Structures are given as structure tokens and as C-alpha cells.
Amino acid sequence: MEIELTLNGKKIQAAVSADMLLIDFVRAQGCFSVKRGCETANCGLCTVLMDDVPVLSCSVLAARAAGHKIQTLEGLQEEAEEFVGFIADQGAEQCGFCNPGFVMNTIALLRENPDPSDDEIKAYLAGNLCRCSGYDGQLRGIRAYLNWKKGV
């Protein structure tokens, strides 16, 4: 079947099989920040934004994305650039494997709620699996970024 969607601001038209997952589609388009992890929609490594809402691309068929706007980290570099250093400063990027999912969800969170509480941050990022840092570093990094934006 033929689908058309917007990927990182660019119209894409491609033939896909009926069972092709969105993760495989975006990776075939060169978006390698989207990682394959658990393949059970439990780790968050494959997070993309579909119409500005985070979705797990390992559990969405590419055909379901037809007509939608899909964003990966490759298309959000400028937006992510401001705060990823704050996460790194807290030692929260140890192996780096989970970072794209955390960054995608943080972007979505801050678009929805520019001044979240710690509990709101934890709730929004709960679907991301990190085996290295224990999540506190990501929380401290996001909090440091928000404080920097406020001039605190």
C-alpha cells in the first residue's frame, strides 16, 4: 500500500507492507535515533511524536501514520539542543541508549506544560527504561534546565 506522511517537515510518499511498523519505516528513511528496544511497548526507546503526541513506534503500523506529522529527534535537534547538555551535566546519559526516548518525551512534556512539577516530570517520563542512571539524573537535568530558563 502507498502512504504519504510528513516526516520531520518533509513530505514522504512510500510503499509499505500492511504489517510494517512505524519504527521500521522511519529507520528506513534514515532516522536512526529511533531505537529498537523491547519490542513490547515498554521501554520508550522507539518514541516519536505523531501530531506532537509521543507514541511508541514499535506498536504503531506505518499505515496508521498516513496523513500524519511524524517527528523524530533528527527533526528536533534545535529544540533538544537547549536542554540535553543539562541532562549530560547530571551524568544521566551514561550509555546514551535511552536518551532519544527521554529527549522526545521531555520535548512533548515541555510543549504541553512549560513549568512541570517533579511529580509531573516523573509521570511523563515513566514509560522510558534506563538501565544505567536510575532516572534521578534525568530529573535533575530537566529541573536544572527549567531553573536556568527561569533565571534561578
Side-chain angles (χ1 to χ4, degrees):
M1 78 181 57
E2 194 78 18
I3 65 168
E4 184 176 308
L5 55 84
T6 303
L7 178 62
N8 295 326
K10 180 181 172 190
K11 289 274 188 202
I12 304 281
Q13 192 170 17
V16 299
S17 62
D19 64 347
M20 180 181 229
L21 294 172
L22 183 56
I23 186 173
D24 297 318
F25 179 81
V26 296
R27 288 183 63 81
Q29 303 301 316
C31 300
F32 298 114
S33 69
V34 184
K35 297 190 169 104
R36 187 176 300 284
C38 66
E39 297 190 64
T40 59
N42 286 308
C43 72
L45 296 178
C46 66
T47 302
V48 299
L49 301 183
M50 181 184 291
D51 298 330
D52 298 319
V53 175
V55 298
L56 300 171
S57 63
C58 75
S59 63
V60 175
L61 292 172
R64 297 273 325 253
H68 293 277
K69 177 179 81 169
I70 306 298
Q71 292 176 294
T72 68
L73 193 53
E74 286 84 357
L76 298 169
Q77 290 295 306
E78 287 181 33
E79 194 168 349
E81 191 174 5
E82 265 194 339
F83 72 85
V84 293
F86 288 89
I87 292 173
D89 285 346
Q90 297 298 319
E93 65 166 16
Q94 291 176 24
C95 80
F97 198 67
C98 66
N99 278 1
F102 271 109
V103 171
M104 295 300 292
N105 279 301
T106 301
I107 287 172
L109 166 66
L110 297 179
R111 285 178 176 178
E112 186 178 309
N113 181 356
D115 191 23
S117 69
D118 286 357
D119 286 340
E120 289 170 321
I121 294 169
K122 287 177 186 177
Y124 215 94
L125 301 181
N128 289 83
L129 177 64
C130 176
R131 293 191 170 130
C132 296
S133 71
Y135 308 99
D136 287 333
Q138 285 92 347
L139 176 61
R140 284 192 314 268
I142 294 167
R143 179 58 51 214
Y145 168 70
L146 293 171
N147 289 340
W148 171 77
K149 280 191 76 149
K150 290 186 219 174
V152 177

